[in-house]
Amino acid sequence: MPPTTLLLAAPRGFCAGVDRAVLIVEKALEAYGAPVYVRHEIVHNTHVVESLRREGAVFVEDETEVPEGAVIVFSAHGSPPEAFANSKRLGHTLIDATCPLVTKVHNEARRYADAAMDIVLIGHEGHQEVVGTMGQAPRSIRLVETPDDVDALEYGDDANVAYITQTTLSMDETSAVVDRLRQRFPLLHQPKKDDICYATQNRQDAVKELADACDVILVVGSQTSSNSKRLVEVSRDRGTPAYLIDSVDDIDPAWVAEADTVGLTSGASAPEVLVDGVIDWFRDRGLQKVRTVTVVDEDVHFAMPSVLARRLQERPA
């Protein structure tokens, strides 16, 4: 028997930063023609990357792989300063698609470094956003993931310490680390606003609502997507099984064989067409009821980079 109800989380899918980044690559291809090079995956979603590759985007891991004078887009996750310097040296037309909320964290890192503070970054080693943030002040930043990592920091308890966080982590995931930082460093400085981005938090809050009403939750997102993995963890932490799927092809029918109510959401870099495919999969198996659970309405938009906006305006009608 199919599940009785499919509950859709709202908000889900593309956040404003991802929507902007994908649009930047599409508009760059329109304005300059192919190829347009992209430093790192523009966003962490296999479907999006392959779609843009078919349109003429060329993805590279290092800006020095890009020919002199070519057009390059820096990904939404942010890049270290030396990457910008390399592109300038190579005469690239550089279009920066870094999410403005990640840029906010970069600005905080530089401000703390200029004030001679020791900076603790809460994040996952190797994640592209962390690489970009560490690069803002490499001599001043130390990376931690757990409270034990805080204990291992070689700072005196009276050190002038500030912390920043990777934007795609969950509030629940960072809270224990922040608590330990506060215990160890009484003079701890923190951002004026949490670095967890609005979209990450909203999607996690929506999953919490679903977890209380569902037998199982499916999260559409790629294995490379940190925020998608966090959605799975948020559900499991509340006792509701959850599975990360790149597309409908990854669904194991056994996951939902005994479920009456199934929840469905998607990470901030997953396009809605993939969610539609999952809905169709359930409907093809006899599901009748699809309902949306809305936690908050999002109304955030970010402007195009000025260099691309000017190029588009200059093109003949």
Side-chain angles (χ1 to χ4, degrees):
M1 293 292 292
T4 301
T5 305
L6 184 65
L7 297 183
L8 305 179
R12 63 179 180 274
F14 277 9
C15 63
V18 166
D19 194 39
R20 172 181 179 264
V22 174
L23 185 61
I24 284 171
V25 178
E26 292 173 341
K27 290 297 184 182
L29 285 163
E30 176 185 322
Y32 296 96
V36 166
Y37 294 85
V38 183
R39 186 184 188 276
H40 193 66
E41 294 182 350
I42 186 66
V43 295
H44 285 157
N45 183 268
T46 303
H47 179 88
V48 170
V49 169
E50 290 305 316
S51 177
L52 292 172
R53 184 176 280 123
R54 288 192 296 270
E55 294 179 28
V58 178
F59 293 89
V60 298
E61 285 305 311
D62 193 296
E63 64 286 346
T64 59
E65 301 173 41
V66 177
E68 292 186 19
V71 178
I72 185 171
V73 176
F74 279 14
S75 78
H77 312 97
S79 302
E82 58 264 28
F84 288 87
N86 287 337
S87 264
K88 182 177 180 180
R89 175 175 54 82
L90 290 166
H92 294 155
T93 296
L94 193 156
I95 305 170
D96 186 8
T98 302
C99 174
L101 300 179
V102 175
T103 299
K104 178 180 82 75
V105 178
H106 289 184
N107 292 339
E108 288 169 350
R110 290 193 297 270
R111 185 170 66 252
Y112 288 142
D114 289 343
M117 295 183 183
D118 295 309
I119 306 166
V120 175
L121 169 60
I122 305 172
H124 294 310
E125 186 173 5
H127 189 278
Q128 189 65 21
E129 182 184 326
V130 167
V131 172
T133 301
M134 294 283 288
Q136 305 304 311
R139 295 181 180 178
S140 302
I141 301 179
R142 297 294 178 270
L143 180 66
V144 301
E145 295 191 34
T146 68
D148 288 343
D149 292 338
V150 174
D151 293 336
L153 289 170
E154 296 179 353
Y155 299 146
D157 292 347
D158 59 349
N160 195 17
V161 175
Y163 82 86
I164 53 179
T165 67
Q166 180 181 331
T167 64
T168 53
L169 300 183
S170 71
M171 295 287 288
D172 295 338
E173 188 174 13
T174 61
S175 61
V177 180
V178 173
D179 287 346
R180 185 68 191 102
L181 283 167
R182 288 172 176 155
Q183 291 168 6
R184 183 168 173 196
F185 305 109
L187 303 178
L188 182 70
H189 296 263
Q190 64 185 55
K192 293 181 180 178
K193 295 180 67 176
D194 289 325
D195 290 335
I196 305 298
C197 88
Y198 77 93
T200 297
Q201 191 60 54
N202 289 347
R203 280 149 188 73
Q204 290 169 6
D205 289 344
V207 165
K208 290 176 183 178
E209 291 285 331
L210 290 190
D212 293 340
C214 295
D215 301 303
V216 63
I217 291 176
L218 300 180
V219 178
V220 180
S222 294
Q223 290 292 334
T224 52
S225 170
S226 177
N227 75 84
S228 297
K229 289 180 177 180
R230 300 292 84 74
L231 296 179
V232 172
E233 292 173 4
V234 167
S235 178
R236 291 176 178 174
D237 286 346
R238 297 179 82 84
T240 301
Y243 302 93
L244 181 64
I245 59 174
D246 222 336
S247 71
V248 65
D249 296 333
D250 295 336
I251 298 176
D252 183 344
W255 296 340
V256 298
E258 299 181 6
D260 181 62
T261 302
V262 174
L264 178 60
T265 189
S266 53
S269 52
E272 187 66 9
V273 65
L274 299 180
V275 174
D276 293 339
V278 176
I279 296 171
D280 290 342
W281 186 89
F282 279 102
R283 282 180 168 154
D284 289 345
R285 286 156 178 76
L287 177 80
Q288 298 295 318
K289 186 188 249 181
V290 179
R291 185 163 61 86
T292 298
V293 177
T294 302
V295 172
V296 64
D297 290 320
E298 290 180 350
D299 186 22
V300 178
H301 302 281
F302 297 131
M304 286 284 103
S306 57
V307 62
L308 180 56
R310 285 195 302 268
R311 176 75 178 196
L312 290 168
Q313 290 175 352
E314 291 167 356
R315 295 180 73 231

